[in-house]
Amino acid sequence: MTTAVTLSSLILRTAITLQTALTTSMLASLALERVQVRRKDLASVSIARESNGGPYMLSWWLARAYQQMHGRRKSCLLLCLAAFIVVTTTLSQFASTSLTRDLSIGIIPASPTGETINTNFLFNQSIFNDGIHNRGQNRYSKSPFGPSFMPQIMRPSSWLLKPAIFPKFAEYRDGSHDPRPEFADTGNTLRAFLPFSNARDRQMLRNYTGKATVMDARVICVRPNFTNPLYANYGEGGDFVPFETYGFAARTVMPEVAPPRFSFTDEGKPRSLASGPKCAGGGPGNPNEWGLSLCQLGTEAGNMFSQFHDSATFNVSTDGSGLTFLALNISGTMKSLQNPLPLNSSSNYLGKYSEEVFDSYAPSALVPNNEWLDMYFCTARNDSCKLSASICYSSLDSAELAVDVWSSSVLSEPSVSFSQKLHTLRSDSIGQQLGQASDGTWFRESADARGIYELAPRTSWIPKNASGDYEYAPVLSAKTGSESASGRPFSFLVNAANMEAQAGTPTSGDAYFLKSAEMSWSAPLCSGHTRFHPDAYIPKAFRDWITTDATLIGLAQDILANGGDVAHVVQSLLTVMAANTYYDQLPQFDGTINVTTTVFVQALIPTSRRGFVAVAVVAALHLVLLAAVTVTFALNTHASQLGNTWRVVAQLVQDKPTLAILDRASLATDAQVEALMNADGTSCMVDDDGDGEPSGREDGRGRILSSATDVVGLVASADGTSVELVTAETGVGRRARRKR
């Protein structure tokens, strides 16, 4: 940019300088023919008609002549024009400085570049097939469900891990969502993660064309339909259990209304009691938060397949995708959430454990409430004894797809803060990145306002082998299978958000991840449930309990406090976990591909218009002056012509008194010539009245004298064949007679 400013300023200054020289020549001609030049400056002004260094000296000569003029012949037009030209010419020399002051460090896109980077895990079908028959012989680690043959670093479930970053991702939404009151729908949402581990590389990226990992992030929460729902109070806090906990179970669970892209396993038949949900939950840590818990279901409640599948050829056994959660929310307290009539032991299938028995209760009323089913566990129907449930279906799935991503600004990635006043973690900026506006609405703000990329739509999100796309296999519950029947690798993003993934074997004192076959995995999303007391005895009811990281809990509670719904809570948590899993595994990517990127770079760019406006005003004023002088010159000059050097010289020597001075000034200085003019008035007398006699001022003895400071000029003769040197006293009349 500095080079452009320098060159443009140079061109502007050069043009103005050349035009100013031309203007000076025209002003000199006008000064002579309008009789506004001192006698001593006659030679200089006359030569300036042909060759000059600009308007500076001409302005000085005109100013000195103006001082000698008086009466009606005194005119400042030429002096003013010359003065303005001096100003514009001088100011034009500062064009570069003025334009440079408009520049400051800013961000601009660089030229697109191609590079080769690792964008994904390299999956080899032949190695996969060989590994199934030769377990332990492969060079890659295995997933919990079978050989993945991808160099993954195995981690515990992402529900347990603190999110290290909240990276910038790309998003595409088509605006579709199901408006039925039984649903809370995030709408079709596809999010892509780009293979740049450095946060600055992600922030400075403007365009990316190549392969990327894309996840289907749509979540729909729907009102459930239970068979024989039960509640059991496991603990109200204290020495035995350091926080309020409960259990919830049902013999069967189904959505009251099937969501889009929905399919049951087992040919649409709901699962039996053995597969019914048994969930543990927790009460709110304070009265200002939701008592929300998520219980991961298997495929007994069906699942929602992603946009990476063709609905016409979808096979639920091999193409299943997504995770399903039962959301439970307690509005009251554990003590109030009890029906006074417990079930008898024969139907108390929820409260029985090996050495622990808890009373179970059936709800006294079931009330539909949009996407929630409110269950009241007291005779009086009030919120103090209400347990609400909703089934949240996610189409969580991932595929490696060819994408086109762009961003129009550079924005930093958000982070969690801590409120000293509230003594809680704050994640409002993260909620905004995920789509929640300050007024609680979703996806109303632009991608730039949210600090994310835009993901260009594809004609189809179904992977195309010809383009190098491929899709990961579905997540299959550990209860239903151990390998991908489709012969494709499991999605490492989905597995990381799977509560059942990498469960391991329970060990005594393991307070973070304990395994039991009796219940579904549950994750509380309310404060007070982020850890077990190290000395507390852990009942078997909590062996399937995930101690969710406090950052995830804070994000969920902030979204709910700002007016969000449970569907967007689940979507946001899955996105955060998937993003952190992706960048955790990024160094192990071994799939190489050529991509095209455009990055933002820091450079000097115009950030203000003041300097440009100033230069434009000066240039415009210069052009106005040039036009004014040109028109005046064309209308008021007769003896002068630009570009005729001999005419200039001839007009100087045509007058006899002037010729006499020239004869004696061949080796004299200007000061000596001026003294010569003043010393001998008769030698400088001019016949400017046409009577054949010299005219001028009279001295004390009646002699007519002429001074070097007299104002003179050149006037063309009546026949137009010659010019005459006249003084200001007679020149105006002579010019008037010539015009007539």
Side-chain angles (χ1 to χ4, degrees), residues 33 638-639 651 654 714-726 734-735 737-739:
E33 298 201 31
H638 301 277
Q651 289 176 353
Q654 191 171 356
L714 294 175
V715 177
S717 62
D719 58 5
T721 59
S722 62
V723 297
E724 301 174 5
L725 185 65
V726 298
R734 184 76 59 83
R735 291 171 61 245
R737 290 195 300 271
R738 180 186 55 78
K739 289 182 178 180

Side-chain angles (χ1 to χ4, degrees), residues 87-345:
V87 172
T88 57
T89 304
T90 303
L91 291 178
S92 69
Q93 305 307 307
F94 297 94
S96 179
T97 302
S98 182
L99 293 176
T100 303
R101 288 179 63 86
D102 284 347
L103 303 181
S104 61
I105 296 295
I107 303 297
I108 59 174
S111 300
T113 59
E115 56 182 320
T116 301
I117 59 176
N118 294 339
T119 60
N120 56 277
F121 283 122
L122 185 63
F123 174 68
N124 189 304
Q125 182 71 47
S126 61
I127 297 178
F128 180 87
N129 294 334
D130 179 68
I132 292 178
H133 303 290
N134 299 281
R135 301 247 179 133
Q137 305 298 317
N138 62 83
R139 62 187 179 94
Y140 294 149
S141 58
K142 299 178 182 179
S143 76
F145 307 133
S148 68
F149 299 94
M150 296 184 296
Q152 301 180 45
I153 300 297
M154 309 309 290
R155 306 281 191 201
S157 171
S158 295
W159 294 91
L160 302 170
L161 304 177
K162 174 186 176 182
I165 56 175
F166 299 91
K168 196 175 179 181
F169 56 85
E171 181 180 276
Y172 169 73
R173 290 177 48 80
D174 60 11
S176 63
H177 73 284
D178 199 314
R180 287 178 287 181
E182 298 89 350
F183 291 154
D185 185 8
T186 64
N188 287 329
T189 308
L190 292 156
R191 289 170 172 168
F193 305 110
L194 303 184
F196 300 99
S197 58
N198 187 283
R200 181 170 176 80
D201 291 341
R202 295 191 295 270
Q203 295 169 21
M204 301 300 288
L205 184 67
R206 185 179 188 271
N207 291 91
Y208 175 89
T209 302
K211 184 180 289 186
T213 300
V214 183
M215 65 173 286
D216 190 334
R218 185 177 189 177
V219 174
I220 296 180
C221 293
V222 59
R223 187 163 63 234
N225 189 343
F226 294 123
T227 300
N228 194 17
L230 297 177
Y231 162 83
N233 185 3
Y234 290 156
E236 300 172 0
D239 294 336
F240 180 67
V241 179
F243 42 79
E244 295 182 341
T245 54
Y246 65 91
F248 176 81
R251 292 188 181 275
T252 60
V253 56
M254 293 178 62
E256 186 168 303
V257 180
R261 305 181 70 88
F262 177 78
S263 177
F264 269 120
T265 56
D266 295 341
E267 299 180 353
K269 299 177 182 179
R271 291 300 181 96
S272 63
L273 170 63
S275 299
K278 287 186 176 182
C279 304
N286 64 69
N288 296 320
E289 68 177 12
W290 286 45
L292 182 65
S293 299
L294 293 180
C295 174
Q296 182 173 321
L297 305 179
T299 56
E300 65 270 15
N303 65 349
M304 186 170 63
F305 58 91
S306 72
Q307 295 188 64
F308 307 137
H309 300 290
D310 187 350
S311 58
T313 59
F314 177 74
N315 186 323
V316 71
S317 300
T318 59
D319 296 329
S321 59
L323 296 172
T324 304
F325 302 94
L326 180 63
L328 299 170
N329 180 53
I330 292 180
S331 300
T333 63
M334 296 297 162
K335 291 183 179 180
S336 61
L337 205 64
Q338 294 182 19
N339 188 302
L341 299 176
L343 299 174
N344 58 45
S345 59

Side-chain angles (χ1 to χ4, degrees), residues 14 78 103 157 183 201 258 272 292 359 396 489 494 502 518 563 699:
T14 302
L78 298 183
L103 303 181
S157 171
F183 291 154
D201 291 341
S272 63
L292 182 65
D359 289 334
L396 182 63
V494 183
Q502 307 165 51
E518 298 185 31
D699 64 2

